[in-house]
C-alpha cells in the first residue's frame, strides 16, 4: 500500500473536506489521483454540476509497502503505483496515476499525521479518462470580482426558487425543474464564456471562501479564469473547477495546476 505524506496537517484537513463534499453529492463517487513533482492532484465530478473539480496538495514524502495499488482502474491512467518511491522516498520522484473510491480515500486520511493511504484502484467512470490538458493555460479577462461571483450565484438560486414556486402543481415535475435549472446555470458570466454552474460548483465545494494570507502575510490571489485546449478553468487558492467548452482530446496531467495553499 502506498501512503502519501502531505506537507502538513492542514493539507490533509482541506483534502478531507473536499472529499466529504464530493461524497455529499455522490456517495459512490470516484476520484482520479495524479501525483508528480511533489504535488498531488485529486479530480472529481460532482454530478449535480456537470463540471470537473480539482483539488491539489503539496507532498512531503511517500512510504510504500509491498503490493502497491493495483492498476489505474481503466481511467486512462498509467500503472497505478507508477513507480512510487520506497519508504521515505522523495515526493519529487513519485509518479502516481490511479482512480479510487472517494469514500475509501477519505477513510485513509490521517489528519493529525498529515498522511493518506491510497486504496485499491476501481474501474473509472468515463469522465476520468478525459481530463484538462497538461499545459498551455492562459488567463482570460472579464471575470467579475469575487463579490460579484457570489452575488450571481445567490441571485440564480433565488430565481430558481421563485420560478419553481410559480409553477402550477401539475407542471412541477422533475423534468420541468431540470429545464429551468439548465437554463439558469448555463448562462455565462460577464464578458466571458464561463457557465454560471462552474461558479455555483466552486462555491458549493468551498473554493470561493475568503482568501487567507500567504506565507508573506499578503492576501492569497483571488479567482482567475484560465483557458486551454477547449477547457475553461476557474482557479482559486482553494481548488479549481473546469468545464469542457468545445471538443478536445484533453490529455490528463498536472502541469498548469496551481498548488493549493493551506
Amino acid at each position: 500500500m502506498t501512503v502519501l505524506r502531505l506537507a502538513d496537517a492542514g493539507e490533509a484537513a482541506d483534502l478531507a473536506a473536499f472529499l466529504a463534499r464530493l461524497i455529499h453529492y455522490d456517495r459512490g463517487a470516484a476520484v482520479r489521483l495524479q501525483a508528480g513533482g511533489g504535488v498531488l492532484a485529486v479530480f472529481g465530478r460532482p454530478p449535480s454540476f456537470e463540471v470537473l473539480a480539482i483539488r491539489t496538495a503539496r507532498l512531503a514524502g511517500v512510504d510504500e509497502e509491498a503490493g502497491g495499488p493495483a492498476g489505474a482502474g481503466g481511467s486512462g491512467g498509467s500503472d497505478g503505483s507508477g513507480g512510487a518511491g520506497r519508504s521515505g522516498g522523495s515526493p519529487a520522484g513519485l509518479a502516481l496515476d490511479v482512480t479510487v473510491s472517494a469514500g475509501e480515500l477519505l477513510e485513509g486520511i490521517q489528519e493529525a499525521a498529515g498522511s493518506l493511504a491510497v486504496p485499491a484502484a476501481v474501474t473509472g467512470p468515463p469522465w476520468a479518462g478525459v481530463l484538462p490538458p497538461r499545459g498551455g493555460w492562459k488567463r482570460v479577462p472579464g471575470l467579475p470580482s469575487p463579490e460579484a461571483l457570489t452575488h450571481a450565484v445567490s441571485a440564480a438560486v433565488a430565481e430558481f426558487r421563485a420560478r419553481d414556486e410559480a409553477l402550477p402543481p401539475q407542471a412541477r415535475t422533475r423534468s420541468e425543474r431540470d429545464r429551468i435549472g439548465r437554463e439558469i446555470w448555463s448562462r455565462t458570466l460577464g464578458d466571458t464564456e464561463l457557465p454560471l454552474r462552474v461558479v455555483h460548483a466552486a462555491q458549493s465545494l468551498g473554493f470561493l471562501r475568503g482568501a487567507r494570507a500567504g506565507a508573506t502575510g499578503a492576501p492569497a490571489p483571488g479567482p482567475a479564469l484560465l483557458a486551454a485546449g477547449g477547457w475553461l478553468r476557474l482557479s482559486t487558492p482553494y481548488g479549481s473547477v473546469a468545464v469542457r467548452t468545445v471538443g478536445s482530446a484533453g490529455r490528463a496531467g498536472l502541469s498548469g495546476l496551481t498548488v493549493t495553499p493551506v
Side-chain angles (χ1 to χ4, degrees):
M1 175 181 293
T2 298
V3 177
L4 304 179
R5 288 183 278 112
L6 303 177
D8 53 45
E11 294 276 16
D14 282 352
L15 182 55
F18 170 63
L19 293 170
R21 290 185 177 103
L22 286 180
I23 296 169
H24 170 75
Y25 293 106
D26 179 7
R27 293 181 62 85
V31 291
R32 183 168 172 182
L33 309 180
Q34 288 188 336
V39 179
L40 171 70
V42 182
F43 300 85
R45 190 178 188 274
S48 301
F49 300 100
E50 300 179 356
V51 299
L52 188 68
I54 310 161
R55 185 70 169 78
T56 60
R58 293 173 292 124
L59 293 174
V62 55
D63 300 320
E64 186 170 359
E65 302 172 0
S75 67
S78 58
D79 64 354
S81 62
R86 295 183 175 85
S87 178
S90 165
L94 170 68
L96 178 73
D97 190 348
V98 62
T99 299
V100 301
S101 160
E104 291 183 6
L105 185 63
L106 177 59
E107 290 176 357
I109 293 179
Q110 300 293 325
E111 292 188 20
S115 66
L116 74 156
V118 179
V122 300
T123 300
W127 65 259
V130 186
L131 300 187
R134 293 180 180 275
W137 293 97
K138 296 182 179 180
R139 189 157 186 153
V140 177
L143 186 70
S145 67
E147 294 77 14
L149 293 179
T150 55
H151 175 75
V153 172
S154 297
V157 170
E159 179 184 347
F160 177 84
R161 290 175 177 169
R163 291 174 62 176
D164 179 60
E165 292 173 359
L167 291 172
Q170 65 273 18
R172 194 170 294 160
T173 63
R174 175 63 180 269
S175 61
E176 180 61 16
R177 285 171 165 169
D178 287 346
R179 185 195 66 79
I180 294 173
R182 285 192 299 270
E183 189 269 312
I184 292 174
W185 298 114
S186 295
R187 296 172 186 168
T188 55
L189 281 160
D191 296 328
T192 75
E193 297 181 0
L194 186 70
L196 186 54
R197 70 176 182 274
V198 172
V199 183
H200 188 202
Q203 184 181 64
S204 299
L205 292 169
F207 293 167
L208 289 183
R209 50 189 157 148
R212 66 186 70 167
T216 63
L225 180 59
L226 307 175
W231 289 78
L232 285 175
R233 178 159 61 93
L234 180 64
S235 176
T236 83
Y238 304 102
S240 298
V241 178
V243 63
R244 206 176 184 194
T245 57
V246 297
S248 171
R251 289 182 57 83
L254 288 170
S255 299
L257 292 180
T258 302
V259 176
T260 304
V262 297

